[in-house]
Amino acid sequence: FLPGVALGALGAAWVLIRLPEGVLELSIALFVLFTCWGPALPKRALSRTGTLIAGAITTFLSSLIGASGPLVASFIKQGGGERHTKVATFAACMVAQHLTKAFIFGMAGFLFQEWLPLIVLMIGAGLIGTRLGLRFLDRVSNRHFDGLFKWALSLLALRLAWLGSASLISH
């Protein structure tokens, strides 16, 4: 996944042309809904090459519109496995993506100092959320987790579709 993350972040930094605002959001929302409710992804999509491509595409898209969570989660959901493993894999992918994007945006001139108080608050909120999430994760079964995961992703996708539609309509 990590080499794909690096490729996606570099690709997003390189892109000069942008689709109309809202198109990417709607596309991502539809992809997430498809991976939640449609047929399973083919086995080769979950291979080393498929994972590399997923890392590149999800990082590229999230660098443009910031929707990495639902994209990566919908891919990880397809991999199966135990709930703790899924959450740990998802967390590792998010750290890799965000650190890589921070590096790329820093190289492109983004000034993190101006946002430092917000960044510190977000890290603190992430730590609290992790503690609460682990308590919840220990109490829920794999079967219930999978259902809740699917519905949470679907709600995030619907919100993204709403934002994308509103953006297209307003322009």
Side-chain angles (χ1 to χ4, degrees), residues 42-64:
K43 290 281 188 214
R44 69 176 175 260
L46 302 173
S47 69
R48 280 183 171 247
T49 303
T51 302
L52 180 127
I53 292 168
I57 291 172
T58 59
T59 303
F60 176 80
L61 291 173
S62 70
S63 296
L64 298 175

Side-chain angles (χ1 to χ4, degrees), residues 22 25-26 29 155-169:
E25 290 90 339
L26 281 170
L155 290 173
L156 288 170
L158 291 173
R159 180 181 178 276
L160 197 55
W162 176 268
L163 294 172
S165 298
S167 184
L168 279 172
I169 291 169

Side-chain angles (χ1 to χ4, degrees), residues 10-90:
L10 289 170
W14 181 75
V15 169
L16 300 174
I17 304 169
R18 226 177 100 194
L19 291 172
E21 214 171 305
V23 171
L24 285 175
E25 290 90 339
L26 281 170
S27 300
I28 290 170
L30 291 172
F31 173 77
V32 170
L33 289 170
F34 177 78
T35 59
C36 283
W37 302 101
L41 293 175
K43 290 281 188 214
R44 69 176 175 260
L46 302 173
S47 69
R48 280 183 171 247
T49 303
T51 302
L52 180 127
I53 292 168
I57 291 172
T58 59
T59 303
F60 176 80
L61 291 173
S62 70
S63 296
L64 298 175
I65 64 164
S68 61
L71 270 174
V72 173
S74 64
F75 182 77
I76 288 173
K77 178 191 128 339
Q78 295 283 325
E82 196 265 338
R83 65 192 181 283
H84 288 90
T85 304
K86 283 182 185 178
V87 171
T89 302
F90 175 68

